[in-house]
Amino acid sequence: MRILPSFFSLNFFLLCLSSFLFFSSFNMIIPELPAYLTSLGGEEYKGLIISLFTLSAGLSRPFSGKLADKIGRIPVMIVGTSICFIVGLLYPILNFVSGFLFLRFIHGFSTGFKPTGTSAYVADIVPFQKRGEAMGIQSLFGSLGMAAGPAIGGWIATHWELNVLFYTSAFTSIFSILILIRLKETLPNKEKFSLNLFRLKKDEIIEKRVLVPSTILFLAVFSFGVVLTIIPDLSEHLGIENKGLFFAVFTLSSLGIRLLAGKASDKYGRVPVMRVAIFCLILAMVTIASAQSKATLLAAGVLFGSAVGMYSPTTSAWVVDLSLNEFRGRALATMYIFLEAGIGFGALVSGWIYGNNPDNFRWVFLTSAGMASLAFFYLIFINKGKYQISH
């Protein structure tokens, strides 16, 4: 019987560092993109900034999940990170509306591949009883990247032209790739890459065993799509100069709680922790809807970060719990498909409701609270025993 190593290994923390750099890379440009698209003459397409990104990420998930289960976790991660580098270099070149939207679509393939491979790799090297804790630590590094990225991006955009920001984003991903090259593959009995691997059967697209946690995640991350799309404009409306500040606050507030949530879900179960997370998310959306000052908005950012910090590692661990080892990549890909769909749907709906009219900020975030409420009621009435660990 194979003995699982301690997940506090050099490989584990190198993977965490790679995640930090990856999330820093593509998140540092997000707060500046609505204003940039407006400067190109495409302000009516703001809702597409996130939705195109999430669309391509969602479309690529079945392929990345299958490839992770066939050719290995590391190649899938390298492909995703390489896309960040290439697209970052192209933003200054395709500086027109259609070119920008095309790049947003291509950029999404990065998150379609990298997180799928990363989560599968972590699950491979983590003892069963420490799964939630390990997912919490790994997502903590991703959150640090999500916090550092927008903050650094906002600072760069304040002092230099936007092209410098795009190039910085591109070259940050290079360091993530260099780390991945050093890691040892964890998938046994790898197959050689073949174009036939891109042929998907119906049962290779969605892993039915993980539909329940994936559906709850869809309802929860609707709010994430709203935040990514609308918060930069709301921040500007409230007189906040650095539009990445809210992102930094909510991400930093999620850091410590990820570890606590991961351990709590290992001890008390995934469903109870998810209930607390979604309730906190509802409070955050209602608070943003009523925000009339910088202080209120940032306080809501703390609530939002706490919710994200609880539901992110817990959902990942829950999905791995319910999946079969040989289809782990597919199960995680299914989770990410629902995640991208929820974010993209939230971005589209919020862009439509907002319509560049500040009077509509309130209705955008109350809609988000409504979607989160559906997730909460789902969790209240769920058969907790049926959807616990299956192996």
Side-chain angles (χ1 to χ4, degrees):
M1 183 176 179
R2 178 170 165 260
I3 298 175
L4 287 168
S6 168
F7 68 87
F8 290 111
S9 63
L10 179 60
N11 273 4
F12 177 78
F13 284 107
L14 284 175
L15 185 69
C16 289
L17 179 57
S18 174
S19 292
F20 168 79
L21 293 169
F22 172 75
F23 280 99
S24 294
S25 172
F26 76 87
N27 274 287
M28 69 172 60
I29 67 174
I30 287 178
E32 302 302 324
L33 293 184
Y36 177 67
L37 182 57
T38 298
S39 72
L40 297 179
E43 63 178 19
E44 67 271 29
Y45 301 114
K46 286 181 181 178
L48 295 179
I49 292 174
I50 302 301
S51 58
L52 283 174
F53 186 95
T54 56
L55 173 63
S56 57
L59 291 174
S60 64
R61 296 292 184 185
F63 300 99
S64 66
K66 183 176 181 179
L67 290 172
D69 287 336
K70 298 293 185 180
I71 68 172
R73 322 306 195 189
I74 293 175
V76 168
M77 289 189 280
I78 290 176
V79 168
T81 311
S82 298
I83 292 171
C84 273
F85 172 67
I86 295 169
V87 173
L89 295 179
L90 290 176
Y91 276 119
I93 298 173
L94 301 183
N95 55 354
F96 46 92
V97 174
S98 59
F100 172 81
L101 295 177
F102 169 75
L103 289 178
R104 287 307 294 166
F105 179 77
I106 298 300
H107 207 162
F109 285 101
S110 63
T111 58
F113 277 78
K114 177 64 166 68
T116 302
T118 298
S119 296
Y121 193 99
V122 171
D124 289 343
I125 64 175
V126 171
F128 174 78
Q129 67 274 16
K130 294 289 187 178
R131 188 170 286 157
E133 183 180 357
M135 290 295 184
I137 294 173
Q138 189 273 323
S139 65
L140 183 149
F141 277 81
S143 293
L144 282 171
M146 292 177 67
I152 294 171
W155 181 78
I156 291 174
T158 301
H159 293 85
W160 288 283
E161 61 180 21
L162 210 56
N163 285 349
V164 174
L165 176 58
F166 291 136
Y167 292 136
T168 303
S169 171
F171 282 98
T172 299
S173 63
I174 284 291
F175 295 102
S176 179
I177 295 172
L178 292 175
I179 292 171
L180 294 173
I181 293 173
R182 187 246 177 246
L183 296 179
K184 295 180 180 179
E185 180 58 59
T186 58
L187 180 69
N189 305 317
K190 294 184 297 179
E191 296 183 14
K192 289 185 178 180
F193 174 76
S194 169
L195 291 177
N196 289 330
L197 292 175
F198 287 104
R199 295 179 180 176
L200 295 175
K201 300 176 183 178
K202 288 183 179 180
D203 61 353
E204 292 179 328
I205 298 175
I206 297 294
E207 179 57 54
K208 294 180 180 179
R209 298 175 67 92
V210 300
L211 282 177
V212 168
S214 297
T215 300
I216 292 168
L217 183 64
F218 170 86
L219 295 170
V221 299
F222 178 93
S223 298
F224 206 96
V226 172
V227 165
L228 291 175
T229 305
I230 304 299
I231 285 296
D233 280 11
L234 178 58
S235 297
E236 186 175 19
H237 178 71
L238 295 178
I240 302 174
E241 183 178 354
N242 186 337
K243 288 174 282 188
L245 185 59
F246 178 91
F247 296 91
V249 168
F250 92 67
T251 308
L252 288 171
S253 70
S254 77
L255 298 184
I257 203 166
R258 286 178 184 271
L259 302 180
L260 296 175
K263 287 186 176 182
S265 73
D266 285 336
K267 184 175 181 179
Y268 302 109
R270 316 303 185 196
V271 173
V273 175
M274 288 295 291
R275 288 172 179 167
V276 176
I278 301 304
F279 182 72
C280 191
L281 179 62
I282 296 169
L283 290 179
M285 292 300 102
V286 172
T287 303
I288 296 176
S290 62
Q292 297 294 325
S293 67
K294 176 180 177 180
T296 303
L297 182 64
L298 297 184
V302 173
L303 285 172
F304 183 66
S306 298
V308 173
M310 284 186 277
Y311 74 62
S312 292
T314 304
T315 305
S316 296
W318 193 5
V319 165
V320 175
D321 290 345
L322 297 175
S323 67
L324 300 176
N325 290 340
E326 61 269 31
F327 300 130
R328 184 168 286 161
R330 183 196 301 173
L332 289 163
T334 298
M335 178 191 75
Y336 284 118
I337 288 170
F338 278 72
L339 181 143
E340 305 294 356
I343 294 174
F345 186 52
L348 274 177
V349 171
S350 62
W352 175 71
I353 295 176
Y354 171 44
N356 290 306
N357 182 356
D359 293 337
N360 293 330
F361 282 134
R362 181 169 180 263
W363 299 111
V364 170
F365 291 101
L366 288 179
T367 300
S368 300
M371 292 292 284
S373 296
L374 291 177
F376 183 75
F377 286 117
Y378 195 169
L379 286 163
I380 288 295
F381 294 107
I382 199 172
N383 184 337
K384 192 167 63 171
K386 184 179 178 181
Y387 296 107
Q388 290 300 300
I389 298 170
S390 64
H391 55 279

